[in-house]
Amino acid sequence: MSKKTYVLVGTGGRAEFFYGAIASQFRETSELLAFCDINTVRMDYSNRILKEKYDYPQVKTYTSDRFDDMIRELKPDCVIVTSVDRTHHLYIIRAMELGCDVITEKPMTTDAAKCQEILDAVERTGRNVRVSFNYRYAPHHTKIRELIEDGTIGDVTSVHFEWLLNTKHGADYFRRWHRDKRNGGGLLVHKSTHHFDLVNFWIGSQPETVFAMGDLLFYGRENAEKRGVTKFYDRATGNPNAKDDPFALTLDDNEHLKAMYLDAEVEDGYRRDQSVFSDGISIEDTMSVTVRYKSRALLTYSLNAYLPWEGYRIAFNGTKGRIEANVIEQSYVNSGGDKALEGALQGANILVFPMFGEAYKAEFEEAEGGHGGGDPVLLNDLFGEPVEDRFNRAANHIDGARSILTGIAANISIAQGRAVKVDELVRMPRG
């Protein structure tokens, strides 16, 4: 069997998840040809990881202005996009125009205009876009889909969904490029795309109307000053004011973060260790969203990024009963440790309450690996030999669009103080 060939653009914190899989368990089916990035130091470090960690041949490197050259010279089957969110559409669209399929990290893009450009490009080129929604593949998430699809609680009428990011993982979004809403659309797009996709996946519907409120109530200098903080700094590394700050991340204390970010600053000036209590944060840390779906189901959703534990609580109400799920996840700092621990499951239970019957616990097999055990299954689906999937967990550009449109509509609602009709934002393909 001939190997499928790949190039990867954006060698930051999420990249190794993909190229490490190709370089290890999927060598027989997949081949990595090149890296592309604005930063040559970071690409060289990724090549070092390939050689030293995976014993894989180093690949060619191309700066981002030579993306077209890379595609024309190497003719890959597929482009993997793991760059900053606001640039996803550029590489997705150009890759398809040059004859490649695409695997993109979530979110597919950050606003309605860019989403429309991607949808139009898929129609124009006939190429395929896969969005890497690993949470769909986690056994407990698949079990919820199974229970609802099998009619266990009848038609779903409402969903109550509370997601908690803690002071380790949640804080990390306020140190990095994500703190600027122009880069990732805020947490309602960058992070909540996972959660809104899960709701779409679970209830088999899509968003119709969205209303949201959000604010920056914990992070940022002004909030810290109100709490009596007097010591401030712009970045943690090398700053004595960061020494006793539990929110500080010092890059020279972690070999991987130092090599990937601190040593690479000389080229692009990007600082990975900004203070979560500095100025310049334009995203929210406290968000509440209400959604009406085309199935007429209602969602109430909240996301907070500074809580004592990591995970979520969700309840589905239906015409025949109720499902409740409680999930605790392993907290992490992106690229700060073992990839398999990122979002790994610490504990989960699913309870079913029939309308006229005894409540019971729904059983499922827990799986190891990141994102609730979903990562290994997703990677096999992308790079290995996919198995037949009753639940159709593989996500395409339509799924990618529907997931981000809830967050995009929520951002508009926050800014304008009104309910937003999702169908007014983009023209979705027919069928």
Side-chain angles (χ1 to χ4, degrees):
M1 184 176 66
S2 61
K3 294 181 180 181
K4 194 169 184 178
T5 56
Y6 298 85
V7 296
L8 182 144
V9 56
T11 55
R14 192 61 183 157
E16 190 186 347
F17 173 74
F18 296 95
Y19 73 70
I22 294 174
S24 54
Q25 65 262 47
F26 300 108
R27 287 190 183 208
E28 298 300 315
T29 56
S30 307
E31 182 180 2
L32 183 68
L33 302 179
F35 292 129
C36 180
D37 202 306
I38 62 172
N39 193 301
T40 61
V41 175
R42 196 168 294 124
M43 287 192 287
D44 290 344
Y45 178 58
S46 297
N47 255 329
R48 199 174 96 202
I49 292 174
L50 278 179
K51 181 180 179 180
E52 296 178 0
K53 183 176 179 179
Y54 297 103
D55 192 25
Y56 195 85
Q58 295 190 350
V59 300
K60 293 185 175 182
T61 58
Y62 293 79
T63 50
S64 56
D65 59 318
R66 298 191 61 221
F67 179 80
D68 284 19
D69 294 338
M70 176 179 67
I71 303 301
R72 291 188 177 116
E73 291 173 12
L74 302 181
K75 297 179 173 57
D77 296 310
C78 185
V79 175
I80 303 170
V81 179
T82 54
S83 57
V84 174
D85 297 350
R86 62 175 169 78
T87 66
H88 283 186
H89 71 297
L90 299 174
Y91 298 114
I92 292 171
I93 293 168
R94 191 60 182 145
M96 291 190 291
E97 290 175 342
L98 293 173
C100 302
D101 292 331
V102 177
I103 296 171
T104 181
E105 183 54 272
K106 61 80 193 167
M108 189 172 74
T109 189
T110 57
D111 61 43
K114 293 173 183 175
C115 182
Q116 188 68 65
E117 290 181 41
I118 294 172
L119 296 175
D120 291 346
V122 172
E123 293 293 297
R124 184 172 69 249
T125 64
R127 306 307 305 186
N128 296 316
V129 175
R130 288 283 301 272
V131 184
S132 56
F133 283 129
N134 39 19
Y135 267 124
R136 288 182 171 210
Y137 295 83
H140 52 294
H141 293 155
T142 303
K143 185 64 178 182
I144 292 172
R145 164 75 176 247
E146 177 186 334
L147 290 167
I148 293 173
E149 191 175 281
D150 289 349
T152 305
I153 60 169
D155 296 329
V156 175
T157 55
S158 66
V159 183
H160 304 278
F161 197 176
E162 178 188 23
W163 199 287
L164 298 81
L165 295 170
N166 74 354
T167 50
K168 185 176 182 181
H169 181 201
D172 206 35
Y173 294 110
F174 297 82
R175 302 184 187 108
R176 301 184 280 163
W177 53 261
H178 310 75
R179 72 202 321 256
D180 186 338
K181 204 165 193 176
R182 296 170 298 181
N183 287 331
L187 291 179
L188 286 173
V189 173
H190 177 81
K191 180 61 180 176
S192 299
T193 182
H194 266 317
H195 314 153
F196 296 139
D197 175 69
L198 280 175
V199 177
N200 297 344
F201 172 70
W202 281 327
I203 71 174
S205 189
Q206 54 191 286
E208 180 182 80
T209 307
V210 177
F211 182 80
M213 291 182 285
D215 209 339
L216 184 68
L217 300 178
F218 182 79
Y219 298 110
R221 180 161 183 150
E222 183 179 2
N223 291 318
E225 287 174 339
K226 289 178 180 177
R227 294 192 297 272
V229 175
T230 58
K231 289 185 177 181
F232 292 94
Y233 55 92
D234 289 329
R235 67 174 311 174
T237 304
N239 195 312
N241 280 355
K243 184 178 180 181
D244 298 321
D245 181 7
F247 290 91
L249 177 71
T250 49
L251 300 178
D252 50 4
D253 290 338
N254 183 299
E255 182 180 347
H256 185 58
L257 292 176
K258 179 181 182 298
M260 180 173 286
Y261 296 110
L262 188 62
D263 295 347
E265 283 182 16
V266 65
E267 286 204 11
D268 59 19
Y270 171 57
R271 294 183 171 187
R272 171 67 177 80
D273 60 344
Q274 297 174 82
S275 168
V276 300
F277 301 119
S278 61
D279 289 323
I281 297 173
S282 57
I283 64 172
E284 300 85 9
D285 58 20
T286 308
M287 293 141 279
S288 177
V289 184
T290 301
V291 185
R292 186 179 187 90
Y293 289 81
K294 293 193 174 181
S295 66
R296 298 179 66 197
L298 304 177
L299 167 70
T300 55
Y301 168 86
S302 69
L303 177 66
N304 294 274
Y306 46 86
L307 298 181
W309 59 276
E310 181 101 357
Y312 70 86
R313 292 175 174 171
I314 192 166
F316 302 84
N317 297 314
T319 56
K320 295 182 180 179
R322 175 180 170 97
I323 295 171
E324 295 179 2
N326 297 283
V327 177
I328 300 175
E329 292 186 348
Q330 174 80 33
S331 182
Y332 65 97
V333 170
N334 187 274
S335 289
D338 187 348
K339 289 285 181 188
L341 297 179
E342 294 188 359
L345 192 66
Q346 284 196 333
N349 65 74
I350 302 172
L351 301 175
V352 181
F353 298 84
M355 187 170 287
F356 300 106
E358 292 294 322
Y360 63 92
K361 183 177 181 180
E363 301 295 337
F364 61 91
E365 287 190 21
E366 292 188 10
E368 295 183 356
H371 294 90
D375 283 353
V377 188
L378 167 69
L379 289 170
N380 182 71
D381 208 16
L382 293 175
F383 303 123
E385 298 181 17
V387 297
E388 186 176 347
D389 184 6
R390 165 192 165 185
F391 302 107
N392 299 312
R393 290 173 291 186
N396 63 15
H397 62 292
I398 302 296
D399 301 309
R402 287 173 177 164
S403 71
I404 57 174
L405 286 172
T406 304
I408 290 168
N411 279 337
I412 296 171
S413 180
I414 291 171
Q416 300 181 4
R418 65 178 180 90
V420 177
K421 296 287 187 181
V422 173
D423 285 350
E424 296 174 358
L425 300 179
V426 299
R427 302 180 305 278
M428 296 292 286
R430 295 179 180 179

